[in-house]
Amino acid sequence: MVKAYLRYEPAASFGVIVSGESNIAYDSSGKHLLAAALEKIGIWHVRQGLCTKTLAPLPSSNSKGPSLAVTSVASSSSSQIASGYAEGSIRIWDSDKGICETTLNGHKGAVTALRYNKLGSLLASGSKDNDIILWDVVGETGLFRLRGHRDQVTDLVFLDSDKKLVTASKDKFLRVWDLDTQHCMQIISGHHTEIWSIDIDPEERFLVTGSADPELRFYAIKHELADGQLIANKNETDVKDLPAENKWEVLKSFGEIQRQSKDRVATVRFNKSGNLLACQVAGKTVEIFRVLDESESKHKAKRRISRKKEKKSAKEGLEATEKGETNIGAEGGSNPVVTVLDIFKLHQTLRAGKKISSISFSPVTSKNSLATLALSLNNNLLEFHAIESNSTSKLSAIELQGHRADVRSVTLSSDNTLLMSTSHSAIKIWNPTTGSCLRTIDSGYGLCGLFVPGNKYAVVGTKGGTLEFIDVRSGTCVEVVEAHGGSVQSIALTPDGTGFLTGSADHDIKFWEFQMVQKSGEGSKHLTASPTSSLKMNDDVLVVAASPDGKFIAVALLDSTVKVFYMDSLKFFLSLYGHKLPVLCMDISSDGDLLVSGSADKNVKIWGLDFGDCHKSLFAHADSVMGVKFVRNTHYFFTVGKDRLVKYWDADKFELLLTLEGHHAEVWCLAMSNRGDFIVTGSHDRSIRRWDRTDEPFFIEEEKEKRLEEMFESDIDNAFENKYGSKEEIPEEGAVALAGKKTQETLTATDSIIEALDTADAELKRIAEHEEDKSKGRVSEFRSNVLMLGLSPSDYVLRALSSVHTNDLEQTLMALPFSDALDLLSYLESWASAIDKVELVGRVAVLLVQLHHHQLVSTVSARPLITRLGDVLPAKAKGCKDIMGYNLAGMDHSTQLVSLRSDAVFRDEKTKLLEIRSHNAKRTEERADTKQEKKRKKKQKKPNGGHVWS
């Protein structure tokens, strides 16, 4: 009989506030901050310091673990959020509803830069695959791919009313792209190292670039007029002096500013008002520059010129002074030459306690400060700083919801309601169900821990050799006992619950007994422990374990052996040897029959405790096995390793049951609930994950087949293309390509369309045969194909086509053979009559004609079909456009009527403001007219009354 097992699935992930691989960004309101936390995006309320929403991909997503890590975040002017991932996909989220609206597949490498245009209708993305893709967010599709960079794209920004795009790369070049003609119109060199970040001020006067060079480079932006000419900025209209060759020169070098820090630039950003520029380096500092306005910069330029003049006069004497006056006077007249140092002035340098990963300016400015700056630090921390006129002050920090360093141990209470995690400087008590942090206690470097029976106290063993006794209810450390001369590597509760044993790097195993003591001057008693006996070993003790029946203790030593002793007499019983490297973890089954050990040699060994024989040695992980735990009252066990995986095994059949992916770094520790209904793991990525047992059964054979299929699919995606596919040539300067990419989904969609076309053709033949039989008098009832779900052949094909995601349509049709494409074209004419399908039909027709143009031209039977479509589709599209325009006008009219009748929410604030301003302007004009009329009358009276002579 085939045995069924119950599946474990990821249920919750907590402990990560912000991950350093991605940037942070404010939403459009400035109330919330978007912070990537591994595969999720946390939306943090800035004032309350709470995570109000979490945006996470569905568990059914094909990509798991590190490939699904968020690498870039951008917010639009509306409620939309874009997130880029390590495997190259981009997800568009509605932050209000907290749902993923669409997934855009196009990049083959991690998404490194995302930027919305001002309206939020276009999204530009840059990637490690060196490409830039422009996406239509409304249409949920890729417009085109821009190629030309020779290395990773690091940043991008829209220019000139979204007509141009500037991109920066690690290839040390800036590129300016014309989005109308889809070509590269300017390449800017001059940087000696990789360019890491670029930005423009809100008025689009200057572009700033940051690299590993010791200076920030600034470029003046020239804007295009209606006649195609360029002007230096929006305020200047005199273009007659510009030479003809400057037509393509959008960015012109404006100057450089020396930076204070020697570290490379990570981010440069202007604030929303454009009066501040922040330069964050790959260290602990942010340099903040004041951006002076036109009058201030001109005043500064005049002062600089006058100082220069004074210096010259002092040095060169009277004659040189007269010469200098004539020269400098020309420069420093009414319109002095303003340099980059006259506009950008170092305001302050902000220093953080740890290395800064990313920065973001708040779009809302408070009354008391110039701006608010959010910092994400590489120790899982968010900080908010107010930039004032004379100093910077820290407003708040979000830090309690996660550890500052990796999680070294996790322990569950006996009733599974509390979870304790230890790290290098703190102990945290969590609710494992909700993931909320209940207590944070400062401590030493905790390596292991346990809950004392009753769950009121906990004991933690530290790297310093101490035992810390924690009062869970008050969240305080009540006692610190100097336990060992080396670090306390392992701690295990005795089966009777009256004490525990510890193993240390000082070669000692100590047995402890719980005691309640009362200190002098304190009213209440608290828990401590005193040593009862000890056992000296020949090497460092790495792990200790006690059998549940209280018969044995097992000790893993640095010499790669496991020694088993009788617990009562501490006499030697067995030596288990076979591991090539030290045993890092072990556990004994509930019945005391089996011991499982995990080692740095990547193997797990299953031992029998009756004779000390090795039942089986399993190659478990691709790196060291860090944790192992039996499910209570079974011979199933879990292992975790440095290869980021959690694995579920059957110790009787020696079979791998499940592989659970999710962690983004090495998994250090593992805790199992008493009932075996969930497990908790802690990792180097600072996350704590809970995996729940479901009611869904599975079979070993099915899981093996699944693993083979996944290997085969990954082979298709990677190995086949790499080994046998033609090597992709380096793209030519400013090349344009299709935006999408071939995925498993597009291939499946192509197969479904081909299958639908074949089924529909077969059904049409059956209908034709039935009609023929009917005409001959052979009357029989026609039964349609049940697979077509009662739909007509045309509707059945349309259903298959409509199910294809908008972004995948291009790649799906590319994989369609010409014969099937021709069949698909024949259906388009009938589908165009449905008004809701006009857009889809038009897009499919255009794509098929573009893809198969040469074959369609040379195929005689296709010409009349193309001609008919050319007549029908434009008319249908125009009709659809007219209906939409009519509906929009009707809605606008209805809105105006409602707003006129009452002060309802439809009334536009901007319109109301303009009305008030125009009303006030009219009143001012009327007053001015009245004054002028009075003055005119007075003037008329004076000559008449005061006339003495003619």
Side-chain angles (χ1 to χ4, degrees):
M1 186 178 172
V2 181
K3 188 173 182 180
Y5 300 87
L6 291 178
R7 189 180 296 279
Y8 282 80
E9 286 186 350
S13 170
F14 49 92
V16 181
I17 299 168
V18 59
S19 46
E21 290 77 28
S22 173
N23 63 310
I24 55 170
Y26 274 93
D27 68 347
S28 53
S29 68
K31 291 179 182 176
H32 298 95
L33 184 75
L34 315 173
L38 305 178
E39 75 277 7
K40 301 191 292 187
I41 299 169
I43 301 177
W44 294 88
H45 195 287
V46 176
R47 283 194 178 176
Q48 296 173 0
L50 297 172
C51 187
T52 56
K53 243 187 227 85
T54 303
L55 310 177
L58 294 170
S60 60
S61 175
N62 293 331
S63 304
K64 293 175 182 174
S67 63
L68 206 59
V70 179
T71 53
S72 186
V73 176
S75 65
S76 70
S77 51
S78 62
S79 63
Q80 269 191 350
I81 294 167
S83 59
Y85 293 82
E87 95 282 19
S89 67
I90 296 166
R91 284 177 172 79
I92 308 294
W93 305 84
D94 187 322
S95 62
D96 294 339
K97 296 175 184 174
I99 56 168
C100 178
E101 292 185 334
T102 186
T103 303
L104 307 170
N105 290 307
H107 289 294
K108 291 176 183 174
V111 179
T112 51
L114 285 172
R115 189 84 70 130
Y116 275 99
N117 66 345
K118 283 180 182 175
L119 292 173
S121 58
L122 295 176
L123 175 71
S125 64
S127 166
K128 281 188 177 177
D129 63 7
N130 310 348
D131 292 350
I132 302 111
I133 300 180
L134 197 71
W135 305 91
D136 178 0
V137 179
V138 180
E140 298 181 0
T141 183
L143 299 176
F144 48 84
R145 183 189 301 265
L146 301 170
R147 286 179 165 168
H149 282 297
R150 298 286 188 272
D151 207 338
Q152 171 187 327
V153 179
T154 52
D155 209 351
L156 31 76
V157 66
F158 283 95
L159 267 191
D160 208 5
S161 307
D162 308 329
K163 290 178 185 173
K164 295 180 184 70
L165 184 74
V166 183
T167 59
S169 168
K170 286 169 81 172
D171 63 7
K172 308 174 190 174
F173 291 106
L174 281 177
R175 283 176 179 266
V176 184
W177 307 83
D178 190 313
L179 298 181
D180 293 335
T181 57
Q182 299 172 21
H183 80 281
C184 180
M185 58 191 298
Q186 189 182 1
I187 301 171
I188 297 160
S189 60
H191 291 84
H192 305 298
T193 54
E194 297 101 333
I195 306 169
W196 287 98
S197 184
I198 59 172
D199 200 25
I200 57 164
D201 67 319
E203 293 179 5
E204 293 189 14
R205 294 183 300 157
F206 308 108
L207 180 136
V208 59
T209 66
S211 65
D213 297 348
E215 61 275 321
L216 290 176
R217 285 183 168 82
F218 291 84
Y219 297 87
I221 301 169
K222 296 183 178 180
H223 293 273
E224 199 171 329
L225 293 172
D227 59 355
Q229 291 289 329
L230 293 166
I231 57 169
N233 61 53
K234 293 174 184 175
N235 299 325
E236 295 177 19
T237 52
D238 188 13
V239 295
K240 61 180 183 289
D241 296 331
L242 284 173
E245 65 264 22
N246 281 359
K247 186 183 178 184
W248 304 108
E249 193 181 12
V250 177
L251 299 177
K252 190 174 182 182
S253 181
F254 184 58
E256 299 171 353
I257 291 180
Q258 291 293 317
R259 297 189 290 111
Q260 305 288 311
S261 174
K262 291 178 181 178
D263 296 317
R264 72 164 178 85
V265 173
T267 317
V268 285
R269 287 291 179 267
F270 284 94
N271 66 338
K272 195 176 181 183
S273 57
N275 63 340
L276 291 176
L277 168 68
C279 168
Q280 174 230 332
V281 299
K284 297 181 181 180
T285 60
V286 181
E287 292 170 25
I288 296 157
F289 295 87
R290 271 285 307 277
V291 184
L292 305 180
D293 58 29
E294 200 175 343
S295 59
E296 285 177 321
S297 55
K298 280 185 178 177
H299 179 64
K300 193 175 177 184
K302 283 178 182 175
R303 281 177 59 201
R304 173 175 54 80
I305 290 161
S306 64
R307 282 201 302 271
K308 191 176 174 184
K309 191 165 69 173
E310 285 168 12
K311 281 181 184 177
K312 278 201 174 186
S313 61
K315 278 184 182 179
E316 298 175 11
L318 190 61
E319 290 178 11
T321 307
E322 286 172 6
K323 271 187 191 177
E325 273 178 8
T326 54
N327 293 336
I328 296 164
E331 185 190 352
S334 59
N335 194 14
V337 177
V338 176
T339 64
V340 68
L341 291 165
D342 297 329
I343 298 173
F344 297 93
K345 175 190 174 185
L346 183 64
H347 181 58
Q348 281 162 31
T349 301
L350 190 153
R351 283 181 174 80
K354 285 284 179 182
K355 192 177 176 184
I356 303 167
S357 299
S358 177
I359 60 167
S360 181
F361 271 114
S362 171
V364 180
T365 308
S366 63
K367 292 176 183 177
N368 305 325
S369 61
L370 297 171
T372 305
L373 188 69
L375 312 178
S376 75
L377 308 185
N378 74 342
N379 65 339
N380 198 23
L381 184 66
L382 288 171
E383 285 186 354
F384 301 92
H385 292 259
I387 300 163
E388 293 154 7
S389 53
N390 298 321
S391 62
T392 59
S393 59
K394 185 177 168 182
L395 297 173
S396 61
I398 298 171
E399 58 184 342
L400 292 176
Q401 290 86 347
H403 282 289
R404 302 284 74 78
D406 40 355
V407 181
R408 297 302 307 195
S409 77
V410 286
T411 316
L412 282 162
S413 60
S414 57
D415 57 0
N416 304 325
T417 57
L418 296 173
L419 170 73
M420 178 173 71
S421 63
T422 66
S423 185
H424 84 301
S425 61
I427 299 161
K428 286 186 181 286
I429 310 292
W430 307 83
N431 180 336
T433 310
T434 60
S436 57
C437 181
L438 307 175
R439 297 279 185 274
T440 300
I441 307 115
D442 291 333
S443 74
Y445 198 135
L447 296 177
C448 52
L450 58 80
F451 276 96
V452 176
N455 304 322
K456 293 178 181 178
Y457 291 93
V459 185
V460 174
T462 68
K463 201 172 183 178
T466 60
L467 289 173
E468 297 185 359
F469 292 85
I470 307 298
D471 186 335
V472 175
R473 291 167 298 181
S474 63
T476 56
C477 179
V478 292
E479 182 89 21
V480 178
V481 176
E482 294 290 337
H484 287 275
S487 58
V488 180
Q489 301 280 6
S490 182
I491 188 167
L493 196 68
T494 53
D496 57 6
T498 58
F500 60 94
L501 57 151
T502 56
S504 167
D506 64 359
H507 302 191
D508 277 351
I509 297 165
K510 287 189 179 179
F511 293 80
W512 303 78
E513 196 174 54
F514 293 122
Q515 291 179 342
M516 294 299 289
V517 296
Q518 184 174 353
K519 283 186 180 178
S520 57
E522 287 186 11
S524 59
K525 291 183 178 181
H526 67 263
L527 185 85
T528 183
S530 60
T532 56
S533 59
S534 66
L535 190 62
K536 192 75 178 174
M537 306 306 293
N538 298 325
D539 215 330
D540 290 14
V541 178
L542 299 182
V543 195
V544 291
S547 63
D549 55 9
K551 277 177 73 176
F552 307 113
I553 60 162
V555 183
L557 302 175
L558 195 62
D559 62 5
S560 307
T561 63
V562 176
K563 298 208 177 336
V564 183
F565 298 86
Y566 289 104
M567 186 176 276
D568 49 2
S569 63
L570 298 183
K571 284 185 177 178
F572 176 75
F573 173 53
L574 291 169
S575 182
L576 312 176
Y577 56 90
H579 282 292
K580 293 172 185 174
L581 290 170
V583 172
L584 303 173
C585 54
M586 63 181 177
D587 196 25
I588 300 171
S589 61
S590 302
D591 56 10
D593 290 347
L594 298 178
L595 182 144
V596 176
S597 59
S599 164
D601 62 10
K602 309 173 189 177
N603 291 313
V604 162
K605 290 187 187 292
I606 302 165
W607 311 85
L609 277 179
D610 42 5
F611 303 110
D613 57 323
C614 180
H615 290 188
K616 190 72 174 176
S617 181
L618 301 166
F619 180 73
H621 290 268
D623 208 330
S624 302
V625 184
M626 300 306 298
V628 61
K629 280 281 185 285
F630 271 104
V631 180
R632 197 173 181 183
N633 299 325
T634 70
H635 282 180
Y636 308 142
F637 65 92
F638 281 90
T639 61
V640 296
K642 280 188 178 181
D643 60 356
R644 308 172 177 179
L645 300 177
V646 181
K647 293 190 177 184
Y648 185 31
W649 305 83
D650 187 336
D652 292 331
K653 292 188 175 180
F654 317 127
E655 289 277 8
L656 171 64
L657 304 179
L658 278 178
T659 301
L660 304 172
E661 295 180 53
H663 279 291
H664 296 241
E666 300 93 332
V667 188
W668 294 129
C669 47
L670 166 71
M672 171 66 66
S673 70
N674 285 339
R675 295 188 297 273
D677 53 344
F678 69 90
I679 62 166
V680 178
T681 54
S683 169
H684 180 65
D685 62 16
R686 301 190 181 98
S687 73
I688 299 168
R689 290 174 191 267
R690 195 181 86 242
W691 316 77
D692 285 0
R693 186 172 63 201
T694 63
D695 296 328
E696 182 192 345
F698 71 93
F699 301 95
I700 296 175
E701 285 70 24
E702 284 181 4
E703 284 304 308
K704 282 181 181 175
E705 282 177 23
K706 246 187 217 176
R707 285 196 287 272
L708 285 169
E709 276 176 24
E710 282 173 11
M711 282 171 65
F712 178 67
E713 281 176 15
S714 64
D715 244 23
I716 288 173
D717 294 342
N718 305 320
F720 186 78
E721 284 181 13
N722 295 343
K723 285 179 188 172
Y724 311 111
S726 58
K727 294 286 181 186
E728 194 172 319
E729 294 177 5
I730 293 171
E732 60 187 70
E733 291 298 319
V736 180
L738 294 173
K741 78 168 178 183
K742 190 188 289 184
T743 59
Q744 199 64 38
E745 286 80 12
T746 61
L747 294 174
T748 309
T750 305
D751 289 341
S752 67
I753 290 171
I754 292 170
E755 191 183 334
L757 286 167
D758 291 343
T759 310
D761 283 349
E763 188 71 1
L764 285 170
K765 281 177 187 173
R766 285 184 63 229
I767 292 168
E769 285 171 9
H770 177 72
E771 291 297 328
E772 194 179 334
D773 290 348
K774 202 174 178 182
S775 63
K776 289 178 181 177
R778 299 176 200 160
V779 179
S780 62
E781 188 183 349
F782 179 76
R783 291 185 179 180
S784 60
N785 189 345
V786 287
L787 294 173
M788 295 185 66
L789 309 170
L791 300 170
S792 67
S794 175
D795 289 344
Y796 184 67
V797 178
L798 180 60
R799 180 176 173 272
L801 189 67
S802 301
S803 64
V804 181
H805 192 274
T806 320
N807 183 47
D808 296 336
L809 191 61
E810 199 168 61
Q811 292 292 328
T812 302
L813 295 177
M814 274 180 78
L816 212 61
F818 178 67
S819 57
D820 290 314
L822 209 56
D823 289 345
L824 196 60
L825 277 169
S826 63
Y827 286 105
L828 295 182
E829 194 177 350
S830 61
W831 294 343
S833 56
I835 194 163
D836 60 324
K837 298 296 178 187
V838 170
E839 186 183 353
L840 176 67
V841 170
R843 194 157 171 239
V844 170
V846 169
L847 283 170
L848 288 175
V849 170
Q850 283 177 344
L851 293 168
H852 302 285
H853 181 261
H854 295 299
Q855 285 169 294
L856 286 169
V857 168
S858 57
T859 308
V860 179
S861 60
R863 289 177 192 170
L865 179 62
I866 298 296
T867 309
R868 287 200 306 277
L869 283 172
D871 295 335
V872 172
L873 282 177
K876 292 285 182 186
K878 188 179 182 302
C880 188
K881 192 178 174 185
D882 290 344
I883 290 168
M884 287 170 72
Y886 181 81
N887 289 342
L888 281 169
M891 284 191 287
D892 283 346
H893 182 64
S894 301
T895 305
Q896 287 171 9
L897 288 174
V898 172
S899 65
L900 287 169
R901 286 174 193 160
S902 65
D903 286 332
V905 290
F906 291 107
R907 184 180 284 280
D908 188 4
E909 289 177 6
K910 191 176 178 182
T911 313
K912 182 73 176 172
L913 189 66
L914 290 170
E915 282 178 15
I916 293 166
R917 281 179 180 172
S918 63
H919 182 65
N920 288 341
K922 280 179 184 177
R923 286 180 65 186
T924 309
E925 284 174 12
E926 284 170 5
R927 283 174 187 169
D929 290 344
T930 312
K931 285 178 182 177
Q932 284 177 359
E933 187 68 29
K934 284 178 181 178
K935 282 179 183 178
R936 191 172 58 78
K937 283 179 181 178
K938 279 181 182 178
K939 283 179 182 177
Q940 284 177 352
K941 282 177 183 178
K942 271 184 182 179
N944 294 334
H947 182 67
V948 181
W949 65 91
S950 59

